[in-house]
Amino acid sequence: MLTLGSILALAAAALHVVIFRLESLAWGGTQAQKVFGEQRPQEVAATRELAFNQGFYNLFLAVLAALGAVLVLVGTTTVGSTLLLAGTGSMLAAATVLLLSSPAHRAAAVKQGALPLLAVLATVIGLLL
């Protein structure tokens, strides 16, 4: 189960790297507009700094979860699972906040939170066995 949790954490990390790219590097571009909704040029300009910061938040969570997953996979279970759970748990918490606070973004919250939820569950089960 720890291997499964690590694989799921790596997948969640990859998704968060994609989100980082959209928010921090491609904000206002066609792909970001498709994912996050159309914005007028004034709205893009007004939200660019916030999106840039949010993107790095997602990148740091991805690094944390991925590092933890790699450490678990190479046998450093205690440190690895701690980092993995910190990263994926934070991803899951953020998705939960989005789910509860913004009805318009519930589908995005489910997409954002599904992999971290599965990673957390598999890792905790693996640690308990």
Side-chain angles (χ1 to χ4, degrees):
M1 287 303 274
L2 287 176
T3 299
L4 177 60
S6 295
I7 291 167
L8 291 165
L10 288 170
L15 175 61
H16 278 70
V17 169
V18 169
I19 295 169
F20 156 76
R21 189 185 72 71
L22 291 171
E23 291 176 336
S24 294
L25 306 177
W27 190 250
T30 304
Q31 192 176 20
Q33 297 256 357
K34 208 183 289 185
V35 171
F36 297 112
E38 293 291 325
Q39 291 184 331
R40 296 185 312 252
Q42 301 89 341
E43 292 172 311
V44 170
T47 58
R48 185 175 305 281
E49 289 180 11
L50 295 171
F52 185 78
N53 182 63
Q54 184 68 24
F56 273 90
Y57 163 80
N58 282 296
L59 178 63
F60 298 144
L61 291 179
V63 169
L64 186 63
L67 178 60
V70 168
L71 289 173
V72 168
L73 291 171
V74 299
T76 310
T77 306
T78 302
V79 172
S81 59
T82 300
L83 293 176
L84 184 156
L85 289 171
T88 56
S90 294
M91 291 173 183
L92 178 58
T96 302
V97 169
L98 182 60
L99 180 75
L100 297 175
S101 67
S102 180
H105 296 100
R106 286 199 174 130
V110 170
K111 292 174 191 172
Q112 178 184 326
L115 287 169
L117 171 63
L118 295 172
V120 166
L121 291 174
T123 302
V124 169
I125 291 168
L127 290 170
L128 293 174
L129 296 179

